[in-house]
Amino acid sequence: MNRRVVRAVAAVSIALFASQAAAQDVLIRNAKVHTATAKGTLENSDVLVRGGKIAAIGRGLNAPGVQSVDAGGKPLTPTLFGGVSEIGIEEVSGEESTVDSGLALGAGSKDMQVRPEFDVTLAYNPASVLVPVARVEGIGWTVLGAIPRSGGSIIGGQGGIVRLDGSMDPIGARMLFVNLGSEADGLSGLSRAAQWMILDQLIDELNGRIAPNSHFAKLTPAGRTALRKYIGGGGRVVFRVHRAVDIVRALRWSKKHNVRIALIGASEAWRVADQIAAAKVPVLVDSLANLPGNFDQVFATEESAARLRAAGVIVTFSQGGDDQSHNARKMRQVAGNAVAHGMSWNDAFDAMTRVPAQVFGVSNQMGSIAVGQRADLVLWTGDPLDVGQVAEQVWLDGRAIPMKSRQTELRDRYLNSNDSGLPPAYR
């Protein structure tokens, strides 16, 4: 990375760190406020922020001495959910020193290590260049996912929510990530049938049917403690799964053991939407994934989100593939695409704001514009689901963040004329 760009990004990060303790007061006037609450959209309204939290919403608010920003009737929203990503735990996939998203203690796929106590949030780097890249696009928070790797197991470990405000500690409860289906075959003896065998064995270990010192035991003492939190209605277990029949088996398994699950990927979920809705299981879909990546996704469709929502399923978004961290900004495109294929605008907007906050248990502090919520806000040039519009200003805890990232610095470097007299390599 060019020294000038490094300095600029570092300056942005340092400025943000320095201002964390000083949440600001601000009055945003004359905005089209998309509240993501039962109040819906409020035209020509004001939002008053005091001490980093939303203090009042209404027309004609007055706050002497408080900095005022005229929104000019433009949309104001909560910051958006970035999906399940590896922002801050995987910088460059080809450079191992920057990859912390998965655990691989075993020698390979035949040496499975089941470690549900693995907590990937402990590797989070808030100074990642991906943080400001996502933030200037209106993304305010993401769920760090623990990714199963060869030498690990189908249980990737625990992840959590991080706000892209420069802070290093996650918020809310952890969630457990489990991979199912053909994509996890290499971690389960080349058969998805073994995945249920492994999960049932872990339940047996928790219930004492396999002694901790047994030759067959898979869990460490810390692993038993960690896994126990998710059994019997505890924390959220996120199953990454695509094929419809595997989804149905996941629903049955979760009901049998009273496990609160969510589904991610879920390309064929719409085919069993009624069963998912009845089980009240939320689904994180990628509305841009309209082609089958493998034989688990034969029935993938861009209408997935709309069909699931029409059946009463709780729907939010998360991108698939390997670039969800670098392209977290595409979440708006994912939502817009869902609208283009039958989902209502309000449902798509809620799926980027209120719904994921509820699914992951932080709706008491973020995901909507309401009195008492964190003042994590975005002022847009236009419809936030239109990729032709951009985030004009982002506030986190009421602090106006610098609208700069490595990418904007590179843009400015190459678009602007070089008046220093130095060759391009020195810019």
Side-chain angles (χ1 to χ4, degrees):
M1 190 186 303
N2 178 274
R3 287 171 295 180
R4 183 176 173 183
V5 176
V6 170
R7 286 195 298 270
V9 173
V12 171
S13 300
I14 292 170
L16 197 57
F17 272 117
S19 61
Q20 281 177 17
Q24 296 180 352
D25 298 343
V26 62
L27 174 61
I28 304 170
R29 297 185 293 102
N30 188 28
K32 183 178 183 179
V33 182
H34 295 288
T35 66
T37 71
K39 293 183 178 180
T41 299
L42 308 174
E43 301 282 354
N44 304 316
S45 293
D46 308 335
V47 175
L48 175 62
V49 176
R50 288 191 183 278
K53 295 189 175 182
I54 297 171
I57 305 167
R59 292 187 176 183
L61 297 182
N62 189 25
V66 173
Q67 177 193 4
S68 177
V69 175
D70 185 358
K74 297 173 184 173
L76 184 73
T77 72
T79 54
L80 307 181
F81 172 52
V84 175
S85 76
E86 290 85 55
I87 293 176
I89 53 176
E90 180 175 316
E91 199 81 17
V92 180
S93 60
E95 173 51 53
E96 281 294 324
S97 65
T98 70
V99 179
D100 295 295
S101 54
L103 179 71
L105 296 176
S109 60
K110 293 182 180 180
D111 186 16
M112 181 175 60
Q113 296 285 322
V114 183
R115 303 298 292 269
E117 66 271 40
F118 173 66
D119 182 353
V120 77
T121 67
L122 295 174
Y124 175 62
N125 174 22
S128 164
V129 296
L130 300 186
V131 170
V133 168
R135 195 167 52 206
V136 298
E137 300 284 348
I139 306 296
W141 59 290
T142 185
V143 168
L144 300 183
I147 310 300
R149 302 172 70 178
S150 177
S153 76
I154 60 173
I155 295 182
Q158 300 176 84
I161 296 171
V162 291
R163 297 174 66 236
L164 305 184
D165 64 342
S167 58
M168 62 181 285
D169 296 318
I171 64 170
R174 302 293 186 274
M175 60 253 3
L176 186 70
F177 287 85
V178 180
N179 271 29
L180 299 175
S182 65
E183 294 178 358
D185 272 359
L187 298 165
S188 58
L190 300 180
S191 171
R192 73 188 73 210
Q195 293 161 9
W196 302 110
M197 177 187 74
I198 293 167
L199 290 174
D200 284 344
Q201 174 177 335
L202 300 181
I203 296 295
D204 285 343
E205 290 189 37
L206 291 182
N207 291 333
R209 289 191 282 271
I210 298 175
N213 59 355
S214 167
H215 172 73
F216 299 102
K218 294 292 185 186
L219 295 171
T220 67
R224 284 194 295 276
T225 300
L227 186 59
R228 198 180 302 281
K229 297 176 184 176
Y230 297 93
I231 308 301
R236 181 78 72 180
V237 178
V238 182
F239 281 138
R240 187 178 296 277
V241 60
H242 289 284
R243 200 165 71 173
V245 68
D246 293 337
I247 290 172
V248 171
R249 289 194 175 97
L251 296 178
R252 291 177 180 175
W253 186 88
S254 64
K255 182 179 180 181
K256 178 180 178 182
H257 298 293
N258 189 20
V259 177
R260 295 172 61 236
I261 69 171
L263 307 174
I264 185 171
S267 301
E268 296 189 356
W270 64 269
R271 301 188 70 209
V272 291
D274 290 345
Q275 295 180 61
I276 298 171
K280 296 183 172 54
V281 170
V283 180
L284 290 81
V285 298
D286 181 354
S287 296
L288 297 178
N290 67 324
L291 296 174
N294 55 46
F295 283 97
D296 282 14
Q297 306 171 39
V298 172
F299 295 96
T301 171
E302 290 173 311
E303 296 179 357
S304 178
R307 294 180 184 181
L308 287 166
R309 194 69 197 98
V313 175
I314 303 164
V315 175
T316 179
F317 300 117
S318 188
Q319 296 179 68
D322 298 325
D323 57 354
Q324 66 269 40
S325 302
H326 290 78
N327 288 321
R329 57 190 171 187
K330 287 176 65 177
M331 287 294 287
R332 292 196 295 133
Q333 185 177 354
V334 171
N337 200 62
V339 174
H341 291 84
M343 195 177 197
S344 75
W345 191 97
N346 285 333
D347 280 344
F349 176 68
D350 288 347
M352 291 193 299
T353 52
R354 174 181 57 81
V355 172
Q358 291 175 335
V359 168
F360 294 111
V362 292
S363 60
N364 62 333
Q365 53 181 314
M366 55 201 294
S368 61
I369 298 180
V371 173
Q373 292 275 54
R374 288 179 181 270
D376 292 354
L377 304 166
V378 189
L379 182 65
W380 301 92
T381 57
D383 182 354
L385 271 58
D386 177 355
V387 294
Q389 306 298 325
V390 298
E392 191 168 287
Q393 180 61 60
V394 176
W395 292 267
L396 294 173
D397 287 331
R399 290 174 282 108
I401 70 158
M403 298 298 285
K404 292 183 177 181
S405 70
R406 180 193 180 203
Q407 294 182 352
T408 64
E409 294 295 330
L410 288 171
R411 175 202 62 195
D412 295 342
R413 172 187 177 188
Y414 288 109
L415 283 180
N416 295 337
S417 61
N418 177 23
D419 54 5
S420 67
L422 294 171
Y426 291 85
R427 295 182 195 175

